[in-house]
């Protein structure tokens, strides 16, 4: 163990262009609750979580769309309780007109038990909802590498 001990992810902060639009997406569609909101100068922010635990912070201080070619966040992945929950999320996202990288639940790689759905938030940030097991039998976009690396 290093001198600083074991670290775990506490929360992820995302820059967004329209906080209200992002709150509707992350709250109404993905089920995160607003734990707090505020503003400083011309920027607004919100803390989102589940069961009182902070998961995401949204900061309205960006312009333009997410750019996957720039250094920084590749994608943000959420783990679901079951494949049925992944499929329920897919239905909710489809009803909202969300942009998907692939159609349906896909395996992380050919023959993998893990897999999920891959989609974009309103600013184009790449997101994943997956399960560690239960995706056996679903196809993978690439036989040799994890799906999440290719969207």
């Amino acid at each position: 163990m290093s001198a600083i001990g074991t670290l775990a992810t506490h929360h992820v902060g995302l820059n967004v262009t329209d906080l209200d639009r992002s709150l509707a997406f992350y709250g109404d569609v993905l089920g995160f609750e607003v734990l707090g909101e505020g503003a400083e100068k011309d920027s607004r922010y919100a803390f989102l979580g589940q069961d009182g635990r902070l998961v995401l912070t949204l900061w309205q201080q960006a312009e333009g769309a997410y750019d996957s070619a720039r250094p920084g966040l590749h994608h943000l992945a959420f783990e679901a309780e079951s494949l049925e929950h992944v499929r329920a999320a897919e239905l909710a996202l489809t009803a909202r007109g969300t942009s998907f990288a692939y159609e349906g639940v896909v395996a992380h790689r050919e023959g993998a038990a893990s897999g999920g759905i891959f989609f974009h938030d309103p600013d184009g940030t790449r997101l994943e909802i997956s399960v560690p097991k239960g995706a056996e039998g679903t196809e993978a976009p690439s036989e040799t590498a994890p799906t999440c690396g290719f969207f």
Side-chain angles (χ1 to χ4, degrees), residues 122-142:
D123 287 306
T125 302
R126 299 182 296 192
L127 303 172
E128 169 186 352
I129 298 177
S130 61
V131 290
K133 59 184 179 180
E136 298 90 341
T138 60
E139 294 185 23
S142 169

Side-chain angles (χ1 to χ4, degrees), residues 41-121:
K41 299 181 184 175
D42 294 333
S43 297
R44 295 173 52 215
Y45 60 89
F47 302 130
L48 304 179
Q50 291 183 324
D51 300 321
R53 185 179 71 82
L54 180 63
V55 176
L56 284 173
T57 59
L58 302 177
W59 303 89
Q60 183 176 296
Q61 58 186 16
E63 294 179 7
Y66 174 81
D67 183 352
S68 63
R70 297 188 54 90
L73 180 72
H74 181 274
H75 74 283
L76 175 57
F78 300 105
E79 184 177 316
E81 296 175 38
S82 68
L83 193 57
E84 291 75 29
H85 286 101
V86 173
R87 292 189 195 285
E90 179 184 18
L91 288 174
L93 291 162
T94 298
R96 184 177 173 81
T98 299
S99 166
F100 286 84
Y102 309 108
E103 185 175 327
V105 174
V106 296
H108 280 127
R109 68 183 183 303
E110 198 61 42
S114 63
I117 56 175
F118 301 86
F119 56 100
H120 305 90
D121 81 355

Side-chain angles (χ1 to χ4, degrees), residues 14-50:
L14 297 177
N15 282 335
V16 300
T17 58
D18 182 330
L19 185 62
D20 293 326
R21 180 179 69 173
S22 292
L23 284 173
F25 180 82
Y26 285 98
D28 298 345
V29 178
L30 296 184
F32 290 102
E33 59 189 275
V34 177
L35 302 178
E37 290 185 72
E40 290 185 19
K41 299 181 184 175
D42 294 333
S43 297
R44 295 173 52 215
Y45 60 89
F47 302 130
L48 304 179
Q50 291 183 324

